[in-house]
Amino acid sequence: MKEVKIESILQVYNDLEELPPDIRSLMASAIEAREQAYAPYSNFKVGASILLDNNEVVSGSNQENASYPSGLCAERTAIYYAGAKYPKAKILKMALTASSQNKVTDKPIPPCGACRQAIAEYELKQEQPIEIYFMGAKGKVAKSNSLSNLLPFIFESSVL
Ligand code: THU
């Protein structure tokens, strides 16, 4: 038996002002998308904006449903929209932000496991890392240099 250590490395920015200008503007799109979320059940709004290599920005927000599991997270809403609209474009960067009506979200809020799996599909397909920046409603912003860094030991198609 041997132990295998798996670790993730994040870069953490103190606030929005510390971000490079292009990411600050991508995050501004995500904040705009977040405010358009349809989240009447959780009151937890999430926005996701994606920068593509054709310079387009595609955004999405979480969309909830009275039948709770039928809703969809912001990240998947955005990435499936990007895949549907620009199937040949590569995904360069993603900016994510979440806010809650019930509490202050002042720490970086990472994408859920299901969204990481969905994003991984595109990162593996394009053979190029996707940078992911994520935050709450305010405060620090975390950056992962790739999706695989956020979801090591991933389930992927080569095992099928
Ligand atoms: N949600 C997202 O949009 N992204 C995530 O990564 C985690 C959760 C949404 C789903 C649901 O509408 C609400 O946040 C509460 O879970």
Side-chain angles (χ1 to χ4, degrees):
M1 196 276 272
K2 65 168 184 172
E3 272 186 340
V4 180
K5 185 175 177 189
I6 299 176
E7 57 185 5
S8 298
I9 297 171
L10 297 176
Q11 287 80 46
V12 182
Y13 296 83
N14 268 322
D15 49 32
L16 280 172
E17 279 64 51
E18 214 194 326
L19 289 171
D22 62 325
I23 304 303
R24 213 181 310 163
S25 112
L26 193 63
M27 193 57 88
S29 298
I31 292 169
E32 211 177 297
R34 187 190 75 205
E35 289 316 301
Q36 289 171 347
Y38 177 62
Y41 304 106
S42 70
N43 291 315
F44 187 82
K45 293 182 168 185
V46 186
S49 286
I50 296 175
L51 175 67
L52 301 167
D53 70 348
N54 61 8
N55 259 331
E56 295 286 343
V57 172
V58 171
S59 298
S61 57
N62 51 328
Q63 301 295 314
E64 297 188 346
N65 192 281
S67 171
Y68 294 174
S70 300
L72 195 64
C73 291
E75 296 86 334
R76 277 175 285 166
T77 304
I79 207 159
Y80 292 153
Y81 179 37
K85 187 141 196 239
Y86 302 107
K88 294 201 177 107
K90 288 190 177 177
I91 296 164
L92 302 180
K93 298 164 201 244
M94 288 185 83
L96 315 173
T97 171
S99 71
S100 168
Q101 259 174 32
N102 308 323
K103 62 197 291 189
V104 180
T105 52
D106 55 3
K107 294 186 183 63
I109 300 180
C112 77
C115 286
R116 293 183 209 192
Q117 182 70 36
I119 299 165
E121 183 74 23
Y122 294 88
E123 185 170 275
L124 289 161
K125 177 169 80 115
Q126 70 185 28
E127 296 178 326
Q128 190 177 306
I130 299 172
E131 284 179 16
I132 303 179
Y133 296 79
F134 52 95
M135 65 180 295
K138 59 180 186 179
K140 293 187 175 12
V141 183
K143 175 195 178 191
S144 174
N145 284 331
S146 66
L147 184 283
S148 65
N149 174 61
L150 281 185
L151 186 60
F153 211 48
I154 190 177
F155 179 87
E156 48 137 327
S157 61
S158 64
V159 302
L160 298 175

